[in-house]
């Protein structure tokens, strides 16, 4: 059964699904849709044209769907959408989109937005993304599936993070991070591949070896990067995970590619085991 605490303020027009739980002092705006089984524990604010998918759980003092921190925003009906079973922890802030972007902030299914993290306007987080405590995303950031971003990291607006990448804590990310990559530092540099993640997700030894060889050629060898990229494509284009990196590199970008750091000679080798 749906439960709405007597101290909660649910505006007329809000759509509340079956089995939702809206706790004490929560505020739900008139254009909000809560799908079945959503839990707002207490003191949660959900506003704007916002949809929370089935089973989303929001912890105290989080705010979702508030107006973007964009001086050009004039109250247009932009949106915020969060996928099923995502967890939003205490004091996290997730803002709706802007007309200067694509008008929607999107978080996928089975994500975790930890305490005091901030997701700015027009960001797109795909499925199973984890943002640790105090992560800060600028506007228009895109993060692929199954990415982990370490605590205290700041990601510049318009940066892309490829799927299954990992970002070390306390990093400042100013440029795009390739799929399966590992980046960290202030300012962040590529230090290798997310080998632990690759093994956990069932990548075969030949696939991992191909990824490592392609990474070395792209990021460690001397010469012109475009020539190294062409050489890597000629050798590994039929390897699907490596081809995904090539496609990511060649896609349009406003921030450019995260460069290799000084310790890349040991980062991925040490994790190979």
């Amino acid at each position: 059964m749906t439960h709405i605490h007597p101290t909660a303020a649910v505006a007329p027009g809000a759509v509340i699904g079956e089995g939702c739980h809206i706790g004490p002092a929560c505020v739900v705006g008139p254009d909000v849709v809560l799908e079945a089984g959503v839990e707002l524990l207490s003191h949660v604010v959900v506003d704007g044209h916002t949809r929370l998918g089935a089973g989303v759980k929001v912890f105290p003092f989080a705010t979702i769907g508030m107006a973007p921190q964009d001086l050009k925003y004039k109250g247009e009906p932009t949106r915020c959408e969060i996928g099923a079973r995502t967890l939003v922890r205490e004091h996290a802030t997730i803002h709706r989109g802007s007309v200067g972007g694509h008008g929607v902030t999107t978080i996928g299914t089975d994500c975790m937005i930890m305490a005091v993290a901030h997701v700015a306007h027009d960001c797109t987080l795909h499925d199973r993304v984890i943002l640790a405590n105090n992560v800060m995303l600028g506007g228009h950031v895109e993060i692929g599936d199954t990415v982990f971003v370490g605590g205290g990291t700041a990601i510049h607006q318009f940066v892309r993070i490829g799927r299954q990448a990992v970002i070390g804590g306390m990093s400042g990310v100013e440029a795009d991070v390739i799929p399966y990559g590992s980046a960290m530092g202030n300012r962040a540099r590529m230090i290798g591949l997310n080998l632990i993640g690759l093994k956990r997700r069932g990548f075969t030894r030949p696939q991992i070896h191909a990824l490592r060889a392609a990474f070395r050629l792209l990021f460690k060898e001397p010469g012109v990067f475009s020539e190294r990229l062409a050489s890597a494509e000629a050798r590994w284009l039929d390897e699907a995970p490596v081809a995904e990196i090539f496609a990511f590199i060649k896609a349009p970008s406003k921030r450019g590619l995260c460069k290799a750091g000084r310790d890349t000679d040991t980062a991925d080798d040490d994790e190979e085991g």
Side-chain angles (χ1 to χ4, degrees):
M1 295 178 61
T2 297
H3 171 76
I4 301 176
H5 193 274
T7 63
V10 179
V15 178
I16 310 300
E18 182 179 355
C20 288
H21 176 97
I22 301 177
C26 292
V27 178
V28 179
D31 299 308
V32 170
V33 176
L34 305 182
E35 296 185 6
V38 168
E39 293 185 65
L40 311 181
L41 293 189
S42 74
H43 300 83
V44 172
V45 177
V46 186
D47 198 14
H49 290 77
T50 296
R51 175 181 290 268
L52 304 188
V56 166
K57 189 171 184 178
V58 187
F59 286 71
F61 303 103
T63 60
I64 301 175
M66 304 299 283
Q69 296 176 137
D70 182 347
L71 294 175
K72 301 183 296 299
Y73 182 73
K74 304 301 179 185
E76 298 88 353
T78 54
R79 297 179 291 123
C80 178
E81 298 179 358
I82 298 180
R85 300 176 301 280
T86 285
L87 301 179
V88 181
R89 296 302 304 246
E90 297 85 346
H91 293 277
T93 54
I94 302 169
H95 290 171
R96 60 185 182 258
S98 71
V99 292
H102 45 271
V104 59
T105 299
T106 305
I107 296 176
T109 62
D110 299 302
C111 295
M112 180 185 288
I113 312 301
M114 293 190 190
V116 203
H118 174 63
V119 179
H121 59 87
D122 303 290
C123 286
T124 300
L125 280 61
H126 293 266
D127 300 335
R128 300 176 301 280
V129 172
I130 297 177
L131 305 183
N133 297 344
N134 298 289
V135 167
M136 299 167 284
L137 305 184
H140 314 274
V141 167
E142 181 175 0
I143 300 180
D145 293 340
T146 324
V147 167
F148 176 82
V149 182
T153 290
I155 301 182
H156 195 286
Q157 61 186 3
F158 293 104
V159 161
R160 299 178 301 141
I161 308 293
R163 74 186 188 102
Q164 298 195 35
V166 60
I167 310 298
M170 302 297 291
S171 294
V173 184
E174 297 179 308
D176 299 343
V177 176
I178 61 170
Y180 316 112
S182 177
M184 67 180 300
N186 184 13
R187 298 302 195 228
R189 291 292 183 264
M190 294 293 306
I191 61 169
L193 295 174
N194 180 16
L195 292 173
I196 293 174
L198 292 171
K199 293 173 184 177
R200 286 175 177 170
R201 293 175 183 91
F203 280 68
T204 66
R205 181 170 291 274
Q207 287 176 318
I208 292 174
H209 285 171
L211 283 165
R212 295 182 73 196
F215 179 86
R216 287 193 181 97
L217 176 56
L218 289 171
F219 291 98
K220 297 182 181 180
E221 297 296 330
V224 178
F225 183 81
S226 60
E227 295 175 355
R228 301 200 306 272
L229 176 60
S231 177
E233 285 185 300
R235 182 173 177 182
W236 292 292
L237 192 57
D238 292 335
E239 290 282 351
V242 186
E244 183 178 348
I245 294 176
F246 300 151
F248 181 91
I249 291 171
K250 296 167 74 172
S253 171
K254 294 188 176 183
R255 297 300 307 167
L257 197 62
C258 188
K259 303 300 191 297
R262 289 179 296 177
D263 50 354
T264 53
D265 289 337
T266 59
D268 57 348
D269 296 324
D270 289 345
E271 293 183 5
E272 180 66 9

